[in-house]
Amino acid sequence: MKKLLDIFILAMLACPIWAQEIEPEIEPEIEPGPEPGLIIPDTVYTHLDTIQAGCYPVSLPYLWRGHELYTTDYYHDTVEAGKTMDLDTVFYDIYSIHLQVKEYVDQTSSPTIQYVYPTELPVMWLGKAYNATGSYIDTVKLAAWDQADTIKQLNVHVKTYITQPQQIAELYPPVSTYSWRGKEWPAINNATYYDTATATAFTDPDTIYSLKIYVKQYMTFATEYATTCQTTPYKWRGHKYQEAGIYKDTARASQFTVKDTIFTLQLRVG
C-alpha cells in the first residue's frame, strides 16, 4: 500500500498542471448587427442661404425659428425635409443665420460743452436744435451692423440773469448828466438805461440793473399884470407883494411825471 502511495506522489510531481486551476477561456464580444430586415437610411443635407440679421441690445433676445439669440454669432437649425419612398434616404434642410448685435462706443465721458447767450439760441448739434440749458445725448449711427455706433453728449449752458428792481431818478433842470453805477448817463426825460454786472463764472447768473430818468417838465401860463399902491400889498396865489417886480410861482403836480405849472406876475406900484 505504501508503495502505491509513493507512485501516486511521484506521478503528481511529474505532472504539476493537474494541480493548477484551469481558467476558462474568454469568448470575444460580438456587437449586435442590425435586426434582420432593418434598413439604415442615407442622410442628405441641404445648406440653405444664410440670413443676415442685425439687432440692437435693447431688442434682445432676437427670436429666430423658435430660438432666443443673444450674441453676435452664426446659428444653425437642422430640420427634416422628407424621405424617399423606400425610406432609404432622409433629407435635411440646414437653416443658418448670422446675427450681429450692434455695438456702441460711449463718448459721454468727454461731452461737447456750449456756453451761449439767449440771443445765440438755438444751439445746432448733430443736425438738431437745442434751446435750453441741459445735457443731451444723441447717437451717431452707422449703416453697417458690424460697425459700432457712437454715443455722444452735449452740455448746453444758456446764460441766465437776475433783474434788480428799477431805480428811478427824478431830476430838475438844468441838468445834463446823471451819475449811476460809476458812469455818466445823459439826463433825458423818460429815458431808460441798463447796466449788467457780469458774474465770474459763465454758469452763474449776471445781474441786470436798470435806471429810469425823469427830468421835470413844466407848463407856463401867460404872465399876469397887476398894479397896486404903496400902502396896500397885492395878494397873489397866497402871497403878498408890495414892491414892483416880476414874481413867479410854481404849482407842483401830485406826480413827478406830471408837468408842474409856472405862473408869472408882473407887479407895478403906483
Side-chain angles (χ1 to χ4, degrees):
M1 184 69 178
K2 183 176 181 304
K3 186 177 181 179
L4 291 174
L5 181 60
D6 293 338
I7 293 172
F8 178 76
I9 292 173
L10 291 173
M12 291 294 293
L13 293 173
C15 302
I17 191 172
W18 292 355
Q20 296 178 1
E21 182 179 355
I22 300 175
E23 296 181 358
E25 295 183 2
I26 299 176
E27 297 181 358
E29 294 183 2
I30 301 176
E31 296 182 0
E35 298 180 7
L38 179 62
I39 300 174
I40 300 177
D42 294 330
T43 54
V44 177
Y45 295 92
T46 301
H47 292 267
L48 303 178
D49 291 339
T50 300
I51 298 174
Q52 300 292 333
C55 179
Y56 288 99
V58 294
S59 301
L60 292 175
Y62 185 87
L63 298 179
W64 176 72
R65 299 186 59 79
H67 304 283
E68 294 183 352
L69 312 181
Y70 288 89
T71 59
T72 296
D73 208 341
Y74 285 90
Y75 298 92
H76 309 281
D77 191 20
T78 303
V79 179
E80 182 179 320
K83 302 177 181 178
T84 58
M85 293 294 292
D86 54 7
L87 304 181
D88 62 350
T89 303
V90 181
F91 299 94
Y92 291 93
D93 288 339
I94 300 178
Y95 295 87
S96 301
I97 185 173
H98 181 205
L99 177 65
Q100 291 179 317
V101 180
K102 196 68 172 179
E103 296 183 355
Y104 296 91
V105 176
D106 191 344
Q107 295 183 348
T108 56
S109 60
S110 300
T112 300
I113 302 176
Q114 291 283 345
Y115 297 97
V116 296
Y117 289 93
T119 55
E120 298 173 326
L121 292 174
V123 174
M124 300 303 299
W125 183 67
L126 295 179
K128 299 178 182 178
Y130 299 91
N131 288 280
T133 295
S135 295
Y136 305 94
I137 295 178
D138 199 2
T139 302
V140 179
K141 296 183 178 181
L142 299 179
W145 284 98
D146 59 349
Q147 293 179 327
D149 292 350
T150 304
I151 302 175
K152 296 178 176 289
Q153 180 172 328
L154 170 68
N155 293 342
V156 176
H157 298 280
V158 180
K159 192 64 181 181
T160 57
Y161 300 91
I162 296 175
T163 302
Q164 295 291 348
Q166 189 177 66
Q167 181 179 341
I168 305 297
E170 297 178 338
L171 309 177
Y172 287 94
V175 60
S176 60
T177 61
Y178 180 75
S179 297
W180 178 65
R181 294 189 52 77
K183 303 176 184 178
E184 294 295 325
W185 304 84
I188 301 174
N189 183 53
N190 209 34
T192 302
Y193 301 104
Y194 297 93
D195 192 29
T196 301
T198 304
T200 304
F202 192 92
T203 53
D204 294 334
D206 292 351
T207 303
I208 299 178
Y209 298 88
S210 64
L211 170 68
K212 185 74 172 182
I213 291 181
Y214 294 105
V215 178
K216 193 61 183 179
Q217 302 295 300
Y218 297 93
M219 180 172 58
T220 303
F221 269 62
T223 301
E224 296 181 29
Y225 297 92
T227 302
T228 185
C229 60
Q230 294 180 347
T231 58
T232 305
Y234 184 79
K235 296 180 179 180
W236 181 69
R237 297 188 56 78
H239 303 279
K240 295 180 179 180
Y241 302 96
Q242 285 185 304
E243 297 180 0
I246 298 175
Y247 301 95
K248 293 182 180 293
D249 189 34
T250 302
R252 302 292 183 185
S254 58
Q255 298 180 1
F256 195 91
T257 55
V258 179
K259 292 181 179 181
D260 290 352
T261 304
I262 299 177
F263 298 91
T264 304
L265 169 66
Q266 183 172 346
L267 181 63
R268 294 175 58 191
V269 177

